[in-house]
Structures are given as C-alpha cells and as structure tokens.
C-alpha cells in the first residue's frame, strides 16, 4: 500500500474530513460511491453517498508477496436494484481511493488507489422481512496489482 500523496497529507493536516471513493467496473455500468452521505460531484462523475451502508474488509498492509481476498459490501439494496446487480463480476475491477473534503467542499483525492482488486464473484443475501439485500463483491489484490505496477513502470 503506497504512502499518501503530499496534497492529501496537507488536506488531512488542515483538518479536512477523510473519506473513501469506491469504483467498480460492474457489468451493468460503472458504480461510483463514497463513504459519506449525499452525492459528491467529483472528476466529472456523481459519487453516491453510502455512509454506514458500505464496508470493506480484507485490506492488509504487508511486504509479503501474497494474494489477499478483499470483500466490498453494500447493505440496504432495494428490491428494484437487486436484479440489475445479479450479473457476473469475474475479472472486473474494483478500486478504493483515499480522499478528503474541506468544510467549503474542496475535494482532494490521492493519486493512487489503496486497493486495486480483480473481482471474482459476488454474493447476494435478501432479508425476508424488509426485502432489502446485502451484496458482497469478492476479489483479490496482490500479484495482479504487482503485475500492473510493473507494466506501468516498463511502459
């Protein structure tokens, strides 16, 4: 996991509020979300606020050469959206990037994602009482990321 950029470090030093950006190359269209509430207009895209409804697990920092399983989870998905998200995600990309937002709304985002995962599969579980679902996207980070970094360095 790389160190944060100087611009993001300055934003954190100023007291800007931290957040995460999530991007997924989903078969039904790109999915963009951020870890705060409301919508964020950044980079020409609208990032939907997930607040406490999103979670990421399995992210580790290590110097060992290993492939780590990463799970991206979204809770409270309404029944109307569930059928759109039921496609295969194998070999799709999911990224997680650090950012900060000032009280005036100035957004600073790190140069590189802290997680760059190659997705393998997804799980969908539905709450029988509410009908809302929890979707988990499971992928791997590790050698894929090392290969990608090597390709970029050689080009």
């Amino acid at each position: 996991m790389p160190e944060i950029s100087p611009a993001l470090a300055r934003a954190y030093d100023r007291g800007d509020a931290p957040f995460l950006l999530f991007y997924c190359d989903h078969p039904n269209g790109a999915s963009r979300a951020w870890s705060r509430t409301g919508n964020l207009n950044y980079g020409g895209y609208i990032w939907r606020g997930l607040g406490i409804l999103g979670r990421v697990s399995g992210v580790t920092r290590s110097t060992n050469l290993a492939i780590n399983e990463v799970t991206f989870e979204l809770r409270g998905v309404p029944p109307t959206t569930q059928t759109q998200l039921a496609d295969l995600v194998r070999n799709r990309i999911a990224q997680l990037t650090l950012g900060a937002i000032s009280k005036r709304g100035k957004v600073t985002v790190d140069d590189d994602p802290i997680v760059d995962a190659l997705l393998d599969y997804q799980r969908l579980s539905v709450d029988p009482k509410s009908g809302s679902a929890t979707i988990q996207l499971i992928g791997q980070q590790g050698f894929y990321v090392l290969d990608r970094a090597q390709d970029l360095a050689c080009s």
Side-chain angles (χ1 to χ4, degrees), residues 7-56:
L8 187 59
R10 285 190 300 276
Y12 289 156
D13 286 343
R14 285 192 306 265
D16 292 1
F19 65 81
L20 294 170
L21 287 179
F22 170 74
Y23 168 79
C24 177
D25 171 29
H26 199 275
N28 288 316
S31 176
R32 292 176 178 84
W34 73 314
S35 61
R36 300 186 75 82
T37 58
N39 288 336
L40 174 69
N41 190 346
Y42 172 74
Y45 300 102
I46 301 295
W47 300 77
R48 291 181 298 144
L50 297 179
I52 60 170
L53 297 178
R55 183 174 71 149
V56 179

Side-chain angles (χ1 to χ4, degrees), residues 41-112:
N41 190 346
Y42 172 74
Y45 300 102
I46 301 295
W47 300 77
R48 291 181 298 144
L50 297 179
I52 60 170
L53 297 178
R55 183 174 71 149
V56 179
S57 61
V59 178
T60 60
R61 182 177 181 143
S62 172
T63 57
N64 295 334
L65 292 178
I67 297 176
N68 298 320
E69 185 171 274
V70 180
T71 302
F72 303 93
E73 183 176 287
L74 178 61
R75 296 181 298 272
V77 177
T80 54
T81 309
Q82 294 169 21
T83 55
Q84 297 171 357
L85 298 176
D87 286 335
L88 296 174
V89 295
R90 187 167 182 78
N91 295 325
R92 298 295 185 141
I93 301 296
Q95 296 175 327
L96 198 62
T97 307
L98 294 171
I101 187 166
S102 72
K103 291 179 182 175
R104 294 183 177 195
K106 180 183 179 212
V107 174
T108 306
V109 174
D110 208 1
D111 299 330
D112 298 308

